[in-house]
Short mmCIF file of all heavy atoms in Angstrom, two decimals:
data_model
loop_
_atom_site.label_atom_id
_atom_site.label_comp_id
_atom_site.label_asym_id
_atom_site.label_seq_id
_atom_site.Cartn_x
_atom_site.Cartn_y
_atom_site.Cartn_z
N MET A 1 -20.50 4.41 21.02
CA MET A 1 -19.77 4.21 19.71
C MET A 1 -19.31 5.65 19.26
O MET A 1 -20.05 6.58 19.27
CB MET A 1 -20.71 3.62 18.73
CG MET A 1 -20.04 3.52 17.36
SD MET A 1 -21.21 2.98 16.04
CE MET A 1 -21.21 1.22 16.24
N SER A 2 -18.13 5.68 18.86
CA SER A 2 -17.69 6.89 18.23
C SER A 2 -17.15 6.65 16.79
O SER A 2 -16.56 5.61 16.51
CB SER A 2 -16.58 7.46 19.07
OG SER A 2 -15.43 6.61 19.10
N LEU A 3 -17.39 7.57 15.96
CA LEU A 3 -16.92 7.45 14.59
C LEU A 3 -15.83 8.51 14.31
O LEU A 3 -15.94 9.59 14.73
CB LEU A 3 -18.07 7.64 13.65
CG LEU A 3 -19.15 6.55 13.65
CD1 LEU A 3 -20.31 6.89 12.74
CD2 LEU A 3 -18.55 5.20 13.23
N VAL A 4 -14.91 8.09 13.58
CA VAL A 4 -13.85 9.04 13.16
C VAL A 4 -14.03 9.29 11.68
O VAL A 4 -14.12 8.43 10.87
CB VAL A 4 -12.46 8.42 13.45
CG1 VAL A 4 -11.36 9.42 12.92
CG2 VAL A 4 -12.28 8.17 14.91
N THR A 5 -14.04 10.56 11.42
CA THR A 5 -14.19 10.97 10.03
C THR A 5 -12.85 11.24 9.41
O THR A 5 -12.07 12.07 10.00
CB THR A 5 -15.08 12.23 9.90
OG1 THR A 5 -16.34 12.00 10.45
CG2 THR A 5 -15.27 12.66 8.46
N THR A 6 -12.53 10.62 8.33
CA THR A 6 -11.27 10.79 7.70
C THR A 6 -11.47 11.56 6.39
O THR A 6 -12.39 11.27 5.69
CB THR A 6 -10.63 9.39 7.36
OG1 THR A 6 -10.55 8.61 8.60
CG2 THR A 6 -9.25 9.52 6.76
N PRO A 7 -10.61 12.47 6.19
CA PRO A 7 -10.71 13.20 4.91
C PRO A 7 -10.70 12.29 3.72
O PRO A 7 -9.93 11.33 3.72
CB PRO A 7 -9.48 14.14 4.92
CG PRO A 7 -9.17 14.34 6.37
CD PRO A 7 -9.58 13.03 7.03
N ALA A 8 -11.50 12.52 2.72
CA ALA A 8 -11.66 11.63 1.60
C ALA A 8 -10.36 11.33 0.90
O ALA A 8 -10.11 10.22 0.45
CB ALA A 8 -12.65 12.20 0.59
N ARG A 9 -9.51 12.33 0.80
CA ARG A 9 -8.28 12.10 0.05
C ARG A 9 -7.33 11.16 0.74
O ARG A 9 -6.42 10.64 0.15
CB ARG A 9 -7.56 13.38 -0.21
CG ARG A 9 -7.19 14.12 1.09
CD ARG A 9 -6.44 15.40 0.77
NE ARG A 9 -6.29 16.22 2.03
CZ ARG A 9 -5.58 17.31 2.05
NH1 ARG A 9 -4.99 17.78 0.99
NH2 ARG A 9 -5.43 17.95 3.23
N HIS A 10 -7.61 10.83 2.04
CA HIS A 10 -6.79 9.87 2.77
C HIS A 10 -7.44 8.48 2.76
O HIS A 10 -6.86 7.57 3.28
CB HIS A 10 -6.57 10.31 4.16
CG HIS A 10 -5.72 11.53 4.27
ND1 HIS A 10 -4.53 11.68 3.60
CD2 HIS A 10 -5.87 12.71 4.92
CE1 HIS A 10 -3.97 12.84 3.87
NE2 HIS A 10 -4.85 13.47 4.70
N LEU A 11 -8.62 8.39 2.24
CA LEU A 11 -9.29 7.10 2.21
C LEU A 11 -8.81 6.23 1.05
O LEU A 11 -8.80 6.63 -0.05
CB LEU A 11 -10.80 7.31 2.12
CG LEU A 11 -11.51 7.59 3.42
CD1 LEU A 11 -13.01 7.75 3.16
CD2 LEU A 11 -11.36 6.43 4.39
N ALA A 12 -8.47 5.01 1.41
CA ALA A 12 -8.16 4.07 0.32
C ALA A 12 -9.09 2.83 0.60
O ALA A 12 -9.52 2.55 1.74
CB ALA A 12 -6.75 3.62 0.46
N THR A 13 -9.47 2.20 -0.44
CA THR A 13 -10.34 1.05 -0.34
C THR A 13 -9.59 -0.25 -0.68
O THR A 13 -8.86 -0.25 -1.61
CB THR A 13 -11.54 1.20 -1.28
OG1 THR A 13 -12.24 2.43 -1.00
CG2 THR A 13 -12.52 0.08 -1.12
N CYS A 14 -9.77 -1.20 0.25
CA CYS A 14 -9.16 -2.48 -0.03
C CYS A 14 -9.70 -3.18 -1.17
O CYS A 14 -10.95 -3.31 -1.29
CB CYS A 14 -9.31 -3.38 1.24
SG CYS A 14 -8.66 -5.00 1.06
N PRO A 15 -8.86 -3.61 -2.13
CA PRO A 15 -9.36 -4.35 -3.32
C PRO A 15 -9.95 -5.71 -3.00
O PRO A 15 -10.66 -6.28 -3.82
CB PRO A 15 -8.12 -4.45 -4.24
CG PRO A 15 -6.95 -4.37 -3.22
CD PRO A 15 -7.41 -3.48 -2.13
N ARG A 16 -9.61 -6.26 -1.86
CA ARG A 16 -10.10 -7.59 -1.51
C ARG A 16 -11.39 -7.57 -0.77
O ARG A 16 -12.36 -8.28 -1.12
CB ARG A 16 -9.00 -8.33 -0.67
CG ARG A 16 -9.50 -9.71 -0.40
CD ARG A 16 -8.49 -10.45 0.55
NE ARG A 16 -7.13 -10.66 -0.19
CZ ARG A 16 -6.15 -11.23 0.45
NH1 ARG A 16 -6.18 -11.57 1.71
NH2 ARG A 16 -4.95 -11.38 -0.20
N CYS A 17 -11.45 -6.75 0.29
CA CYS A 17 -12.67 -6.76 1.13
C CYS A 17 -13.48 -5.50 1.08
O CYS A 17 -14.52 -5.34 1.76
CB CYS A 17 -12.31 -7.09 2.57
SG CYS A 17 -11.47 -5.71 3.47
N ALA A 18 -12.94 -4.50 0.34
CA ALA A 18 -13.62 -3.24 0.18
C ALA A 18 -13.66 -2.45 1.46
O ALA A 18 -14.43 -1.48 1.62
CB ALA A 18 -14.99 -3.37 -0.41
N GLY A 19 -12.86 -2.88 2.40
CA GLY A 19 -12.78 -2.10 3.74
C GLY A 19 -12.03 -0.83 3.53
O GLY A 19 -11.29 -0.57 2.58
N THR A 20 -12.26 0.03 4.49
CA THR A 20 -11.66 1.34 4.35
C THR A 20 -10.59 1.57 5.43
O THR A 20 -10.00 2.62 5.55
CB THR A 20 -12.71 2.46 4.45
OG1 THR A 20 -13.51 2.27 5.64
CG2 THR A 20 -13.61 2.47 3.28
N LYS A 21 -10.31 0.54 6.20
CA LYS A 21 -9.26 0.65 7.20
C LYS A 21 -7.95 0.23 6.50
O LYS A 21 -7.32 -0.81 6.76
CB LYS A 21 -9.51 -0.27 8.38
CG LYS A 21 -10.65 0.25 9.26
CD LYS A 21 -10.74 -0.67 10.50
CE LYS A 21 -11.89 -0.21 11.40
NZ LYS A 21 -12.09 -1.10 12.55
N VAL A 22 -7.56 1.15 5.61
CA VAL A 22 -6.39 0.81 4.84
C VAL A 22 -5.31 1.90 5.03
O VAL A 22 -5.61 3.11 5.01
CB VAL A 22 -6.76 0.80 3.31
CG1 VAL A 22 -5.58 0.60 2.46
CG2 VAL A 22 -7.78 -0.29 3.09
N THR A 23 -4.12 1.46 5.19
CA THR A 23 -3.04 2.38 5.25
C THR A 23 -2.37 2.42 3.91
O THR A 23 -2.05 1.41 3.35
CB THR A 23 -1.97 1.89 6.28
OG1 THR A 23 -2.56 1.87 7.56
CG2 THR A 23 -0.79 2.86 6.28
N ALA A 24 -2.29 3.58 3.34
CA ALA A 24 -1.72 3.70 1.97
C ALA A 24 -0.62 4.71 2.00
O ALA A 24 -0.76 5.84 2.46
CB ALA A 24 -2.83 4.09 0.98
N ILE A 25 0.51 4.30 1.47
CA ILE A 25 1.65 5.21 1.35
C ILE A 25 2.26 5.10 -0.07
O ILE A 25 2.10 4.10 -0.73
CB ILE A 25 2.72 4.86 2.42
CG1 ILE A 25 3.16 3.41 2.30
CG2 ILE A 25 2.23 5.20 3.83
CD1 ILE A 25 4.28 3.11 3.25
N THR A 26 2.89 6.12 -0.44
CA THR A 26 3.57 6.14 -1.72
C THR A 26 5.05 6.16 -1.52
O THR A 26 5.55 6.94 -0.69
CB THR A 26 3.09 7.42 -2.54
OG1 THR A 26 1.66 7.38 -2.72
CG2 THR A 26 3.74 7.42 -3.91
N MET A 27 5.73 5.32 -2.23
CA MET A 27 7.20 5.24 -2.10
C MET A 27 7.86 5.37 -3.46
O MET A 27 7.27 5.00 -4.44
CB MET A 27 7.55 3.92 -1.52
CG MET A 27 7.17 3.67 -0.10
SD MET A 27 7.90 2.17 0.51
CE MET A 27 6.47 1.35 0.98
N THR A 28 9.04 5.95 -3.40
CA THR A 28 9.88 6.04 -4.61
C THR A 28 10.93 4.97 -4.49
O THR A 28 11.72 5.01 -3.49
CB THR A 28 10.47 7.41 -4.77
OG1 THR A 28 9.36 8.36 -4.84
CG2 THR A 28 11.22 7.47 -6.06
N LEU A 29 10.99 4.11 -5.45
CA LEU A 29 11.98 2.96 -5.30
C LEU A 29 13.33 3.44 -5.89
O LEU A 29 13.45 4.55 -6.51
CB LEU A 29 11.45 1.81 -6.05
CG LEU A 29 10.12 1.27 -5.57
CD1 LEU A 29 9.74 0.03 -6.38
CD2 LEU A 29 10.15 0.92 -4.10
N HIS A 30 14.29 2.61 -5.71
CA HIS A 30 15.67 2.95 -6.09
C HIS A 30 15.82 3.17 -7.60
O HIS A 30 16.72 3.82 -8.08
CB HIS A 30 16.67 1.87 -5.61
CG HIS A 30 16.86 1.94 -4.13
ND1 HIS A 30 17.40 3.02 -3.49
CD2 HIS A 30 16.56 1.04 -3.16
CE1 HIS A 30 17.44 2.78 -2.16
NE2 HIS A 30 16.89 1.60 -2.02
N ASP A 31 14.95 2.54 -8.42
CA ASP A 31 15.02 2.70 -9.84
C ASP A 31 14.25 3.92 -10.25
O ASP A 31 14.05 4.16 -11.47
CB ASP A 31 14.58 1.43 -10.55
CG ASP A 31 13.10 1.21 -10.39
OD1 ASP A 31 12.48 1.91 -9.58
OD2 ASP A 31 12.55 0.34 -11.04
N GLY A 32 13.70 4.70 -9.34
CA GLY A 32 13.00 5.93 -9.65
C GLY A 32 11.54 5.77 -9.89
O GLY A 32 10.80 6.75 -10.03
N SER A 33 11.09 4.56 -9.86
CA SER A 33 9.61 4.33 -10.03
C SER A 33 8.88 4.63 -8.72
O SER A 33 9.41 4.43 -7.67
CB SER A 33 9.35 2.92 -10.48
OG SER A 33 9.81 1.99 -9.57
N CYS A 34 7.68 5.09 -8.90
CA CYS A 34 6.83 5.52 -7.76
C CYS A 34 5.76 4.47 -7.57
O CYS A 34 5.04 4.18 -8.53
CB CYS A 34 6.24 6.87 -8.01
SG CYS A 34 5.87 7.77 -6.55
N VAL A 35 5.66 3.93 -6.40
CA VAL A 35 4.65 2.85 -6.19
C VAL A 35 3.76 3.22 -4.98
O VAL A 35 4.26 3.92 -3.99
CB VAL A 35 5.29 1.47 -5.97
CG1 VAL A 35 6.09 1.00 -7.18
CG2 VAL A 35 6.15 1.50 -4.71
N ASP A 36 2.53 2.76 -5.02
CA ASP A 36 1.61 2.91 -3.88
C ASP A 36 1.51 1.56 -3.17
O ASP A 36 1.18 0.59 -3.80
CB ASP A 36 0.23 3.34 -4.46
CG ASP A 36 0.36 4.74 -5.09
OD1 ASP A 36 0.91 5.64 -4.53
OD2 ASP A 36 -0.20 4.92 -6.19
N PHE A 37 1.76 1.70 -1.90
CA PHE A 37 1.58 0.47 -1.06
C PHE A 37 0.36 0.65 -0.21
O PHE A 37 0.21 1.66 0.44
CB PHE A 37 2.85 0.27 -0.24
CG PHE A 37 2.68 -0.79 0.85
CD1 PHE A 37 2.57 -2.13 0.46
CD2 PHE A 37 2.66 -0.41 2.16
CE1 PHE A 37 2.41 -3.11 1.47
CE2 PHE A 37 2.51 -1.42 3.14
CZ PHE A 37 2.41 -2.74 2.79
N SER A 38 -0.50 -0.36 -0.20
CA SER A 38 -1.59 -0.30 0.72
C SER A 38 -1.72 -1.52 1.56
O SER A 38 -1.47 -2.64 1.04
CB SER A 38 -2.90 -0.02 -0.05
OG SER A 38 -3.17 -1.18 -0.90
N SER A 39 -2.07 -1.36 2.83
CA SER A 39 -2.16 -2.48 3.72
C SER A 39 -3.55 -2.41 4.46
O SER A 39 -3.87 -1.36 5.02
CB SER A 39 -1.09 -2.42 4.75
OG SER A 39 -1.19 -3.41 5.72
N CYS A 40 -4.35 -3.49 4.31
CA CYS A 40 -5.65 -3.47 4.91
C CYS A 40 -5.61 -4.00 6.32
O CYS A 40 -5.03 -5.06 6.55
CB CYS A 40 -6.56 -4.33 4.02
SG CYS A 40 -8.25 -4.43 4.74
N HIS A 41 -6.26 -3.24 7.25
CA HIS A 41 -6.23 -3.68 8.60
C HIS A 41 -7.36 -4.69 8.87
O HIS A 41 -7.37 -5.32 9.87
CB HIS A 41 -6.47 -2.46 9.55
CG HIS A 41 -5.34 -1.51 9.51
ND1 HIS A 41 -4.24 -1.60 10.41
CD2 HIS A 41 -5.00 -0.50 8.68
CE1 HIS A 41 -3.41 -0.65 10.12
NE2 HIS A 41 -3.83 0.01 9.08
N THR A 42 -8.29 -4.83 7.94
CA THR A 42 -9.39 -5.75 8.10
C THR A 42 -9.03 -7.16 7.71
O THR A 42 -9.21 -8.16 8.45
CB THR A 42 -10.58 -5.29 7.34
OG1 THR A 42 -10.93 -3.96 7.77
CG2 THR A 42 -11.80 -6.17 7.55
N CYS A 43 -8.52 -7.37 6.48
CA CYS A 43 -8.24 -8.71 5.98
C CYS A 43 -6.73 -8.85 5.82
O CYS A 43 -6.30 -9.93 5.37
CB CYS A 43 -8.96 -8.94 4.65
SG CYS A 43 -8.31 -8.02 3.28
N GLU A 44 -5.92 -7.86 6.12
CA GLU A 44 -4.47 -7.95 6.03
C GLU A 44 -3.97 -8.14 4.65
O GLU A 44 -2.86 -8.60 4.42
CB GLU A 44 -3.96 -9.08 6.99
CG GLU A 44 -4.25 -8.77 8.43
CD GLU A 44 -3.52 -9.77 9.35
OE1 GLU A 44 -3.05 -10.78 8.84
OE2 GLU A 44 -3.51 -9.53 10.54
N ALA A 45 -4.77 -7.76 3.69
CA ALA A 45 -4.31 -7.81 2.29
C ALA A 45 -3.29 -6.66 2.07
O ALA A 45 -3.46 -5.60 2.57
CB ALA A 45 -5.51 -7.67 1.33
N ARG A 46 -2.25 -6.97 1.30
CA ARG A 46 -1.34 -5.92 0.97
C ARG A 46 -1.18 -5.94 -0.50
O ARG A 46 -1.16 -6.94 -1.20
CB ARG A 46 -0.01 -6.22 1.60
CG ARG A 46 -0.04 -6.19 3.08
CD ARG A 46 1.33 -6.49 3.68
NE ARG A 46 1.24 -6.62 5.15
CZ ARG A 46 2.27 -6.93 5.91
NH1 ARG A 46 3.37 -7.37 5.38
NH2 ARG A 46 2.09 -6.99 7.21
N SER A 47 -1.13 -4.73 -1.05
CA SER A 47 -0.96 -4.58 -2.49
C SER A 47 -0.07 -3.46 -2.87
O SER A 47 0.09 -2.47 -2.09
CB SER A 47 -2.34 -4.39 -3.15
OG SER A 47 -2.87 -3.17 -2.78
N TRP A 48 0.61 -3.68 -3.99
CA TRP A 48 1.48 -2.66 -4.47
C TRP A 48 1.01 -2.26 -5.88
O TRP A 48 0.69 -3.19 -6.68
CB TRP A 48 2.89 -3.24 -4.62
CG TRP A 48 3.54 -3.70 -3.30
CD1 TRP A 48 3.29 -4.83 -2.73
CD2 TRP A 48 4.47 -2.94 -2.51
NE1 TRP A 48 4.06 -4.88 -1.58
CE2 TRP A 48 4.75 -3.71 -1.44
CE3 TRP A 48 5.04 -1.71 -2.66
CZ2 TRP A 48 5.59 -3.35 -0.37
CZ3 TRP A 48 5.93 -1.25 -1.63
CH2 TRP A 48 6.15 -2.07 -0.55
N ARG A 49 0.97 -1.00 -6.12
CA ARG A 49 0.48 -0.57 -7.43
C ARG A 49 1.45 0.52 -8.02
O ARG A 49 1.99 1.31 -7.21
CB ARG A 49 -0.90 0.02 -7.37
CG ARG A 49 -1.94 -1.06 -7.08
CD ARG A 49 -3.35 -0.37 -7.15
NE ARG A 49 -4.26 -1.14 -6.31
CZ ARG A 49 -5.49 -0.80 -6.13
NH1 ARG A 49 -5.95 0.36 -6.65
NH2 ARG A 49 -6.30 -1.51 -5.39
N GLN A 50 1.55 0.47 -9.29
CA GLN A 50 2.36 1.52 -9.94
C GLN A 50 1.52 1.97 -11.09
O GLN A 50 1.22 1.22 -12.04
CB GLN A 50 3.68 0.90 -10.41
CG GLN A 50 4.57 1.92 -11.15
CD GLN A 50 5.90 1.38 -11.56
OE1 GLN A 50 6.06 0.14 -11.59
NE2 GLN A 50 6.81 2.22 -11.86
N GLY A 51 1.20 3.25 -11.11
CA GLY A 51 0.37 3.84 -12.14
C GLY A 51 -0.90 3.12 -12.30
O GLY A 51 -1.44 2.94 -13.43
N GLY A 52 -1.56 2.67 -11.21
CA GLY A 52 -2.81 2.02 -11.31
C GLY A 52 -2.76 0.53 -11.58
O GLY A 52 -3.76 -0.14 -11.63
N GLN A 53 -1.56 0.05 -11.84
CA GLN A 53 -1.41 -1.36 -12.20
C GLN A 53 -0.83 -2.08 -10.99
O GLN A 53 0.14 -1.65 -10.42
CB GLN A 53 -0.48 -1.50 -13.38
CG GLN A 53 -0.34 -2.95 -13.95
CD GLN A 53 0.49 -3.05 -15.13
OE1 GLN A 53 1.02 -1.98 -15.62
NE2 GLN A 53 0.63 -4.17 -15.68
N GLU A 54 -1.40 -3.19 -10.66
CA GLU A 54 -0.93 -3.95 -9.52
C GLU A 54 0.41 -4.64 -9.78
O GLU A 54 0.63 -5.20 -10.85
CB GLU A 54 -1.94 -4.99 -9.07
CG GLU A 54 -1.69 -5.54 -7.77
CD GLU A 54 -2.93 -6.01 -7.00
OE1 GLU A 54 -4.03 -5.63 -7.43
OE2 GLU A 54 -2.82 -6.76 -6.06
N LEU A 55 1.31 -4.59 -8.80
CA LEU A 55 2.59 -5.16 -8.96
C LEU A 55 2.74 -6.41 -8.14
O LEU A 55 2.16 -6.48 -7.06
CB LEU A 55 3.66 -4.16 -8.55
CG LEU A 55 3.89 -2.84 -9.31
CD1 LEU A 55 4.98 -1.99 -8.67
CD2 LEU A 55 4.30 -3.24 -10.74
N ASP A 56 3.52 -7.33 -8.63
CA ASP A 56 3.85 -8.48 -7.87
C ASP A 56 4.80 -8.18 -6.77
O ASP A 56 5.72 -7.32 -6.95
CB ASP A 56 4.38 -9.58 -8.74
CG ASP A 56 4.50 -10.89 -8.00
OD1 ASP A 56 3.51 -11.58 -7.90
OD2 ASP A 56 5.57 -11.21 -7.52
N ILE A 57 4.64 -8.73 -5.59
CA ILE A 57 5.56 -8.42 -4.51
C ILE A 57 7.00 -8.58 -4.77
O ILE A 57 7.87 -7.86 -4.40
CB ILE A 57 5.11 -9.14 -3.19
CG1 ILE A 57 5.96 -8.72 -2.00
CG2 ILE A 57 5.22 -10.64 -3.39
CD1 ILE A 57 5.82 -7.27 -1.60
N SER A 58 7.26 -9.68 -5.57
CA SER A 58 8.66 -9.95 -5.88
C SER A 58 9.25 -8.90 -6.75
O SER A 58 10.43 -8.57 -6.80
CB SER A 58 8.78 -11.34 -6.57
OG SER A 58 8.01 -11.40 -7.72
N THR A 59 8.38 -8.32 -7.64
CA THR A 59 8.87 -7.22 -8.49
C THR A 59 9.24 -6.07 -7.66
O THR A 59 10.30 -5.39 -7.84
CB THR A 59 7.69 -6.81 -9.47
OG1 THR A 59 7.29 -7.93 -10.27
CG2 THR A 59 8.19 -5.67 -10.36
N VAL A 60 8.44 -5.73 -6.64
CA VAL A 60 8.71 -4.62 -5.83
C VAL A 60 9.97 -4.85 -4.96
O VAL A 60 10.84 -3.94 -4.96
CB VAL A 60 7.51 -4.40 -4.85
CG1 VAL A 60 7.84 -3.21 -3.87
CG2 VAL A 60 6.29 -4.07 -5.60
N LEU A 61 10.09 -6.00 -4.43
CA LEU A 61 11.29 -6.32 -3.67
C LEU A 61 12.54 -6.29 -4.53
O LEU A 61 13.65 -5.96 -4.05
CB LEU A 61 11.15 -7.68 -2.98
CG LEU A 61 10.08 -7.76 -1.85
CD1 LEU A 61 9.97 -9.09 -1.28
CD2 LEU A 61 10.35 -6.69 -0.79
N GLY A 62 12.35 -6.64 -5.78
CA GLY A 62 13.56 -6.56 -6.67
C GLY A 62 13.98 -5.14 -6.94
O GLY A 62 15.13 -4.86 -7.12
N LYS A 63 12.99 -4.22 -6.91
CA LYS A 63 13.31 -2.79 -7.12
C LYS A 63 13.79 -2.14 -5.88
O LYS A 63 14.70 -1.24 -5.93
CB LYS A 63 12.02 -2.09 -7.64
CG LYS A 63 11.56 -2.48 -8.98
CD LYS A 63 10.16 -1.85 -9.21
CE LYS A 63 9.65 -2.12 -10.58
NZ LYS A 63 9.68 -0.96 -11.47
N ALA A 64 13.14 -2.52 -4.77
CA ALA A 64 13.57 -1.82 -3.52
C ALA A 64 14.24 -2.81 -2.57
O ALA A 64 13.65 -3.61 -1.98
CB ALA A 64 12.26 -1.31 -2.85
N ARG A 65 15.53 -2.65 -2.52
CA ARG A 65 16.30 -3.52 -1.65
C ARG A 65 16.54 -2.80 -0.37
O ARG A 65 17.55 -2.12 -0.18
CB ARG A 65 17.56 -3.94 -2.32
CG ARG A 65 17.35 -4.62 -3.65
CD ARG A 65 18.58 -4.80 -4.49
NE ARG A 65 19.48 -5.82 -3.86
CZ ARG A 65 20.68 -6.03 -4.29
NH1 ARG A 65 21.24 -5.38 -5.28
NH2 ARG A 65 21.46 -6.96 -3.68
N LYS A 66 15.58 -2.96 0.51
CA LYS A 66 15.67 -2.24 1.77
C LYS A 66 16.47 -3.09 2.79
O LYS A 66 16.33 -4.31 2.82
CB LYS A 66 14.28 -1.92 2.32
CG LYS A 66 13.50 -1.12 1.38
CD LYS A 66 12.16 -0.72 1.97
CE LYS A 66 12.30 0.32 3.08
NZ LYS A 66 11.03 0.76 3.62
N PRO A 67 17.28 -2.44 3.58
CA PRO A 67 18.08 -3.17 4.59
C PRO A 67 17.19 -3.84 5.70
O PRO A 67 17.57 -4.80 6.25
CB PRO A 67 18.97 -2.09 5.17
CG PRO A 67 18.29 -0.78 4.83
CD PRO A 67 17.53 -1.05 3.60
N ARG A 68 16.03 -3.23 5.91
CA ARG A 68 15.18 -3.83 6.92
C ARG A 68 13.70 -3.66 6.49
O ARG A 68 13.37 -2.69 5.77
CB ARG A 68 15.41 -3.20 8.23
CG ARG A 68 15.27 -1.72 8.22
CD ARG A 68 15.52 -1.09 9.58
NE ARG A 68 15.50 0.36 9.44
CZ ARG A 68 15.09 1.19 10.41
NH1 ARG A 68 14.73 0.68 11.55
NH2 ARG A 68 15.14 2.50 10.25
N LEU A 69 12.86 -4.51 6.98
CA LEU A 69 11.45 -4.41 6.60
C LEU A 69 10.63 -4.10 7.87
O LEU A 69 10.93 -4.58 8.91
CB LEU A 69 10.98 -5.70 6.06
CG LEU A 69 11.55 -6.05 4.64
CD1 LEU A 69 11.15 -7.43 4.22
CD2 LEU A 69 11.06 -5.07 3.61
ZN1 LIG B 1 -9.19 -5.86 3.15
#
């Protein structure tokens, strides 16, 4: 068994399963707002947050009209 140590500042915790296999990225949307997107590899939960407040996916998609996903 091998363990990989990740720097603490890159660790994000899944709000659903509390797992740490989370990919978290910050994006700036077209309206200038900055949102944090996190995707959990354990339970596949995805969440969007802005300023610590969780956003609804439809709100995010309304702000960011990306040509491809
Ligand atoms: Zn999870």
